[in-house]
Amino acid sequence: MRKISLSVIMIALLIVTLFSSSILTGITVPAEAAKFDTGDTAWMIVATALVLIMTPGLGFFYGGMVGKKNVISTMLQSFIAMLIVTILWVVIGFSLSFGTSIGGIIGDPTEFLMFQNVGINTAWGTIPFMLFALFQAKFAIITPALITGAFAERVRFWAYMLFMVLFILFIYAPLCHMTWHSDGYFFKMGVLDFAGGTVVHMSAGWAALAGAIFLGKRKVQKVNPARITYVLLGTALLWFGWFGFNAGSALGSNGLAVQALGTTTVAAAAAGMAWVFMDKILGHKLSAMGACIGTVVGLVAITPAAGFVSIPHAIFIGLFSSIISNFMVSKFPKGKIDDALDVFACHGVGGMVGMLLTGVFASKEINPAVADQGLIFGESTLFINQLTALVIVSVFAFVGSYILFFIVNKITPLRVSEDKEELGLDISQHGEYL
């Protein structure tokens, strides 16, 4: 039955792609190409590639942390997102996220269906519209991949793929639209999220917590990391790609991109340093894993604030977020909730800390587009808006994701059987092994 269903999907996709230009109407092609800034365009092409490399980087980061018999499956969960979400984004995801607003919640699903009206002759600011759409696709790709760390070593691969599709359509797209579309609910409220603290990290963190609760605990929770060298490599690729993630969100080769590059650099360094110092204070050895996890937490926390805060404030954000996440990891009830790779404590909590501290440190001097400055400048409106968005997103992402896990589990079981978990997902799900 599954093979028949997949065959039907493939045939339908082939037919739609073949005849989409004739089926869809209302397509307009400009008489001449818009004028673009070549420097901005060149930088955004590079930034788009940098963001994409974060997803295989995440695969190495997660893959090195799990047991040896689950490395391939864990890494493939990230890699497959590049395949499925790319097509889903082109077919309907971009339209749901950036189409004409419907109530400030979601975009018109037909406006950019199959990337119709998304071309190289129309502009988004100073760059081609298609370049903006492809840049945004990379954010959508990495978000469900982030979630996988929470239910590592026990999820059925086909069920995960179905969840990923539903998550993009019903969780990611509405949050993206509300936050980054000019008519979106959060955007009009004045909420600031420079590069994805709400859209990417908080949504992934809360979905991860929902998944860990829904799937239950692994038979063996404490495993030796398979390849700590993979974790180091993954961290390096994530940090490298994050410059595209944050500096690219300036959407141009300009001073704001440089500011985001600077804040990203120092926040990551400060957080990595704080994590290993905290470990030492708590009596642990200075570990490669700790340095890597702390660095990623800093990258997460600075993401919503990258283009709004100063360098000293970015250092504070990195230090503070690392201390909070380190505390959360140590106090998280692992015996009751098996968030295998601490996705909620790192990405969820890191994203929330970053969102709130954006409301503390955002400055008009750094970014003149800031309507309301942060608490440190004596203004409270922005902080209240950030807090309000945090609460709404937390409830929406957690409850919505839990419902999606429930629906997927009714369609096809989410969790592997005990014997397949014991055998390992590399063999039981893919017939491959290291």
Side-chain angles (χ1 to χ4, degrees), residues 50 174 202 346:
L50 286 173
M202 279 182 57
C346 294

Side-chain angles (χ1 to χ4, degrees), residues 39-54:
D40 290 349
T41 301
W43 160 236
M44 291 307 299
I45 291 172
V46 173
T48 300
L50 286 173
V51 181
L52 181 63
I53 206 171
M54 291 174 67

Side-chain angles (χ1 to χ4, degrees), residues 392-426:
I392 294 172
V393 171
S394 298
V395 173
F396 174 70
F398 177 80
V399 175
S401 296
Y402 195 92
I403 292 171
L404 293 183
F405 281 117
F406 179 83
I407 293 172
V408 170
N409 195 55
K410 289 294 184 181
I411 297 172
T412 181
L414 267 165
R415 182 157 183 167
V416 297
S417 61
E418 287 193 5
D419 59 327
K420 289 183 177 179
E421 182 180 341
E422 181 69 27
L423 183 62
L425 302 188
D426 291 356

Side-chain angles (χ1 to χ4, degrees), residues 208-209 212-213 325-340 342-346 349:
L209 183 62
I213 294 172
S325 286
N326 190 303
F327 178 80
M328 281 296 299
V329 169
S330 64
K331 298 300 181 182
F332 194 82
K334 291 183 172 62
K336 299 179 180 179
I337 302 174
D338 187 11
D339 183 348
D342 297 312
V343 179
F344 177 73
C346 294
V349 172

